[in-house]
Amino acid sequence: AHAAAGAFGAGPHPGPPQRAANPGPGPHPPPVATSREKHARIVQGRPDQPAEPKVLRISIIGAPNSGKSTLSNQLLGRKVFPVSKKVHTTRCKARGVITHEDTQLIILDTPGLTSPMKAKRHKLEAAMLTDPWDSMKHADLVLVLVDVSDHWTRNSLSLEVLKCLSQFPHIPSVLVLNKVDLLKKKIILLGLINELTEGIVNGKKLKVRSEFEYNSSSPAKTVLKVTQTPPPENRARESPCQLETDKAQEGSSLDNSSDVKASESSLDTEAREQKPYKYGDQKNRKGWPHFQDIFMLAALNGEEVDTLKQYLLMQAKPGPWEFHSRVLTSQSPHEICDNIIREKILEYLPLEVPYGVTQVTELWEEGPSGELIIVQNLVVPRKSHKLMLIGRRGALISRIAQEAGQDLMNIFLCDIRLKLKVEVKS
Ligand SMILES: Nc1nc2c(ncn2[C@@H]2O[C@H](COP(=O)(O)OP(=O)(O)OP(=O)(O)O)[C@@H](O)[C@H]2O)c(=O)[nH]1
């Protein structure tokens, strides 16, 4: 009793994968190896680093669904992590690797930070509670992602995020406000920044005030700009927070063609008055006063992602590379495949149904013309779930196989024949 989705990928693959909107500098990413052995050889092979290599390990943490994987994919310039509208798409930590000239950025994409109670509800593996913490242990810098379109969560950092940050206060942290494309009133970002930073960035008290200036050089654009008054010792410093939106497209409620600035002043005295942040104190706090910088971006369309990437490249310190420059991710081909299929199941099945699906790969082999043949069995707990997953006349499972096959083709850069079966757990 199983439904099979049509094979996919006959004919030549569609050429190079679609690059993200902001691929950034650097050469075209290499294909991801399709067999376990090849992958292991490349990942474990000696890094081909230059004489004076630089490295930065970046942990991306945040609430489930804040856009961590979307941002990771955009930074990588290629989709290698699964993304969906449902929470807990990412099940375990995975690394993405960006190699640019002498610098290697290693992105530690983690599951959304969650509580043991929520983990139980979604039947999450133990790793989903521990992985974000583990990734912090290896990080040189942490990006804290906040979904600014979520009215319920955007006004304060979650308890789990605060616990994580205060457990590792020595790791430089950067606040990233994501999904700004969904905000009609961009001016609320100023209030959010104030809440989420407790009014302190880089050790200096933020004074948020609005300044409306006519921007005659760019009348077609609405510009929201947050700058910090430079500290006396370095007048040239300017915070990288900058967001430009096309007025025509956005219809922003900011004053037309205006700049809004959050500036920093009367710095040191006010900063010293701030209550020290103690571990265990998080329940009474909403923000983190130790961010070194703030970015506002839209990971989905790549807006300002390249600015963040350039910033990260600048933060790298001398140190040996971990991976060969050809490596794009530490995930094995099988893990990538499971994740991509899971992403589609999460996207198309309602409520909690996707969380009960177990994936079993039955076949993984190279076909006569070099194509990759994959057969995966999706085991579900109930017959009703099976019917849902197959859909009317197999329409849904075919769609899942088609879309997953296309994504895998773009990742592996080879033809893929993907067959999905659905079975009720006996
Ligand atoms: N409009 C908009 N949507 C976004 C943006 N970034 C991410 N999304 C969407 O938000 C949803 C969640 O994105 P993910 O990248 O899977 O989020 P995540 O934080 O990795 O999620 P978990 O795996 O549950 O922790 C997806 O539907 C994305 O398309 C953005 O900048 N703008």
Side-chain angles (χ1 to χ4, degrees), residues 65-70 84 87-90 112 178-179 181 298-300:
N65 237 24
S66 49
K68 299 177 292 298
S69 300
T70 309
S84 89
V87 294
H88 305 307
T89 307
T90 306
N178 188 30
K179 307 196 191 180
D181 57 310
L300 189 63

Side-chain angles (χ1 to χ4, degrees), residues 138-149:
H138 300 110
D140 304 313
L141 184 134
V142 56
L143 298 181
V144 178
L145 225 62
V146 174
D147 173 355
V148 294
S149 71

Side-chain angles (χ1 to χ4, degrees), residues 8-11 365-374 414-417:
F8 187 79
E365 68 178 26
E366 209 170 301
S369 350
E371 77 276 29
L372 184 59
I373 305 169
I374 305 167
C414 72
D415 290 338
I416 303 282
R417 280 172 55 203

Side-chain angles (χ1 to χ4, degrees), residues 200 203 205 266-276 285:
I200 294 184
K205 187 104 177 156
S266 332
L267 308 173
D268 297 342
T269 30
E270 285 172 276
R272 257 184 251 126
E273 284 162 18
Q274 186 67 17
K275 275 193 287 177
R285 315 288 288 247

Side-chain angles (χ1 to χ4, degrees), residues 153-269:
T153 60
R154 68 183 179 194
N155 293 303
S156 60
L157 296 173
S158 74
L159 191 60
E160 284 81 20
V161 168
L162 287 173
K163 273 188 196 161
C164 211
L165 288 171
S166 47
Q167 179 84 334
F168 302 94
H170 55 283
I171 301 178
S173 52
V174 172
L175 176 64
V176 178
L177 302 178
N178 188 30
K179 307 196 191 180
V180 295
D181 57 310
L182 295 176
L183 278 189
K184 283 223 173 89
K185 297 185 180 178
K186 300 230 180 325
I187 198 155
I188 70 154
L189 289 168
L190 298 182
L192 290 183
I193 290 173
N194 213 25
E195 298 268 11
L196 298 171
T197 62
E198 294 195 347
I200 294 184
V201 178
N202 202 23
K204 315 280 160 51
K205 187 104 177 156
L206 262 184
K207 265 207 178 153
V208 177
R209 66 187 146 92
S210 303
E211 283 177 14
F212 294 96
E213 289 167 12
Y214 181 65
N215 185 350
S216 57
S217 62
S218 174
K221 287 193 168 180
T222 298
V223 180
L224 171 61
K225 198 173 181 185
V226 180
T227 55
Q228 295 179 323
T229 304
E233 71 278 11
N234 176 12
R235 288 277 160 207
R237 185 176 188 280
E238 185 176 277
S239 162
C241 316
Q242 179 168 333
L243 164 77
E244 292 194 11
T245 338
D246 206 330
K247 193 179 71 181
Q249 174 206 336
E250 172 56 39
S252 160
S253 66
L254 268 184
D255 198 30
N256 289 349
S257 318
S258 63
D259 278 9
V260 177
K261 291 184 178 174
S263 54
E264 214 184 68
S265 61
S266 332
L267 308 173
D268 297 342
T269 30

